[in-house]
Amino acid sequence: MQHMKLKLAAAITAALLSTTAMADSWTVTQTSTPGSATTMTQTGNTQGGAVQAMNAINSGSATVQGSQEAAMATFGLTLQQTGATDASTQAVNYVKSTALDSTATFVQKHTGAGNVTLTQDATGASGGNLQAVNTAKVETVDKLTQQVNAATDVGLSQDTGFANTQAVNNIDATTLTDATQEVKPVADFTLTQNGAGNQTQAGNNATATTTLTKVTQTVAPATDLKLKQDGTGSSTQAANRADGGTTSAVGQVSQTTTVGTTTATMDQDSAGVQTQALNMTVATKGVSDATNGVTQSVGTTTEGVTMKQGATSVVGAESVQAGNYLTSTDEVKKIAQTMGTASSAKVIDLQQTNAGATKTIQAGNLIGLTTASSKLTSASQTLNANGAATGELKLTQTGTAKVLQAGNAVVTDGSGIGGTLTQAVNATKLTMLQTGANGSFQAANYLGLKIQ
């Protein structure tokens, strides 16, 4: 009998140990409430995967649910990532785990009326740094919400570094099932990007290396929206950016950028191969959701958009500037792009001055199809500037060589590409000026080959 009791006790102990090992899960609530303006600085020879965070969950193989909040009241928040920093992360809210529990939405948020300022000037030789307000490095993201919605001004500055990522909200996942990212300052939102190349800067940035099923991204400042890109290498800058990886097709992506009470400005003056957009989706393996697909929208209810490519310096060959941009090498079952609110009385002004540059593209709505297996099953592009007497689309192309400027554009790299496409430009006034253009194209609507 004693032997049986010992065996039973051993079995129960083994079962408990096994259950403990398999039931590695946490329900976590983290809140930081500073009583004054806060500055976080990560500098010096910081490397080897160093992490600096206000709220941090580093759970390894665990499944996590709960929330993280930086409650800043009226105080400002500044993040500085500088010096010879390599492969390191700086964030306000940070979670790293195997999975986020699918039974409840995990929430990361900044609350408070102070300014939020991010400066990334890390000069480490290898780069690979990440700076964000909210970041999730999770293998499986089932339900996640990231928010920075109450700050007065939100400003991001990315300088001098190499292969770094800077974002307000950032997701690095293997499988992304459902996520919502929001940046809604009560005043200005500004992105400034310089650096040596391979940099990524975004308001909302979501990357899934294997599967991206659904993501919703919103940027909506109340006043100014400014993007400035002026670097020497190949970099990406966007208000909203989603990347579905190279393994499977993207499911449902909804991206919305809303212009505030002053004209939104986009400036691209970069020597490298640069990509700049308000809404950007990288769907390398196509779009599989035929019902919802990818929806990209730029709202201009209160003010319009001015886009300048090469105004002060030569832009690198094959650079791209667009309001809405999707790129794919495979079948896109559904994509709908809208630049400008319907019946908007605002001006959408595209200015392309690329003396010396070649093969660059500037467009309100842009779809890039890059291989013979690319196909558009259902695609629409709409540009609206048709409200009252002041709605206007202005296209100005000056001193260019073999570049493309268009209101709506679908650009292909080769033969064997086809599909179904609807393009519409609705403008109370349409003004087109092409001067000193050598082998360039200017059009309200364009479908065809990349200019060579």
Side-chain angles (χ1 to χ4, degrees), residues 255-257 278-279 294-300 305 323-325 335-344 348 364-367 380-385 407-408 422 424 426:
Q255 296 176 316
T256 302
T257 300
L278 296 178
N279 299 314
V294 176
T295 303
Q296 297 175 317
S297 175
V298 177
T300 56
V305 179
N324 296 310
Y325 179 43
I335 168 71
Q337 296 177 323
T338 303
M339 179 75 172
T341 304
S343 301
S344 171
I348 297 176
N365 295 310
L366 175 62
I367 299 172
S380 66
Q381 295 178 313
T382 305
L383 191 149
N384 294 311
N408 298 313
T422 300
N426 305 310

Side-chain angles (χ1 to χ4, degrees), residues 98-173:
T98 298
L100 298 181
D101 195 323
S102 60
T103 61
T105 300
F106 189 89
V107 178
Q108 294 179 309
K109 61 183 178 180
H110 166 281
T111 57
N115 295 337
V116 176
T117 304
L118 278 68
T119 301
Q120 190 181 51
D121 191 13
T123 59
S126 299
N129 296 298
L130 169 64
Q131 185 187 51
V133 176
N134 298 311
T135 192
K137 295 185 176 183
V138 181
E139 291 182 20
T140 302
V141 175
D142 282 308
K143 295 179 181 179
L144 172 64
T145 295
Q146 297 176 320
Q147 297 174 325
V148 180
N149 287 348
T152 301
D153 295 332
V154 177
L156 278 67
S157 177
Q158 188 181 51
D159 297 311
T160 67
F162 176 80
N164 296 319
T165 298
Q166 184 187 49
V168 179
N169 297 313
N170 185 74
I171 300 171
D172 290 314

Side-chain angles (χ1 to χ4, degrees), residues 174-395:
T174 303
T175 299
L176 198 166
T177 303
D178 189 357
T180 299
Q181 297 176 308
E182 297 177 342
V183 182
K184 298 179 180 179
V186 297
D188 302 344
F189 182 45
T190 304
L191 285 80
T192 303
Q193 185 185 55
N194 297 291
N198 294 328
Q199 305 270 73
T200 298
Q201 184 188 53
N204 295 311
N205 187 49
T207 301
T209 56
T210 300
T211 304
L212 195 162
T213 303
K214 181 181 178 182
V215 65
T216 302
Q217 299 175 316
T218 303
V219 168
T223 53
D224 282 349
L225 173 61
K226 296 179 180 179
L227 280 72
K228 183 172 179 57
Q229 191 177 48
D230 187 8
T232 59
S234 303
S235 293
T236 297
Q237 184 186 55
N240 294 309
R241 178 182 179 273
D243 187 340
T246 60
T247 301
S248 59
V250 166
Q252 180 180 348
V253 177
S254 176
Q255 296 176 316
T256 302
T257 300
T258 302
V259 176
T261 56
T262 59
T263 299
T265 58
M266 300 172 64
D267 291 295
Q268 189 181 55
D269 291 293
S270 310
V273 182
Q274 307 287 336
T275 303
Q276 183 188 54
L278 296 178
N279 299 314
M280 181 186 308
T281 298
V282 180
T284 303
K285 300 301 291 184
V287 178
S288 61
D289 190 330
T291 302
N292 299 296
V294 176
T295 303
Q296 297 175 317
S297 175
V298 177
T300 56
T301 302
T302 56
E303 267 302 336
V305 179
T306 297
M307 299 167 57
K308 297 180 180 181
Q309 188 182 52
T312 60
S313 63
V314 176
V315 175
E318 302 194 38
S319 290
V320 169
Q321 185 186 51
N324 296 310
Y325 179 43
L326 176 137
T327 179
S328 180
T329 65
D330 215 314
E331 180 181 6
V332 176
K333 291 189 175 180
K334 186 170 184 178
I335 168 71
Q337 296 177 323
T338 303
M339 179 75 172
T341 304
S343 301
S344 171
K346 305 306 174 183
V347 176
I348 297 176
D349 185 1
L350 277 65
Q351 303 173 28
Q352 192 179 45
T353 308
N354 285 318
T358 59
K359 304 178 185 178
T360 63
I361 300 173
Q362 185 189 52
N365 295 310
L366 175 62
I367 299 172
L369 305 175
T370 58
T371 67
S373 60
S374 301
K375 179 183 178 182
L376 291 180
T377 303
S378 174
S380 66
Q381 295 178 313
T382 305
L383 191 149
N384 294 311
N386 60 332
T390 55
E392 183 178 6
L393 171 61
K394 299 172 68 175
L395 301 175

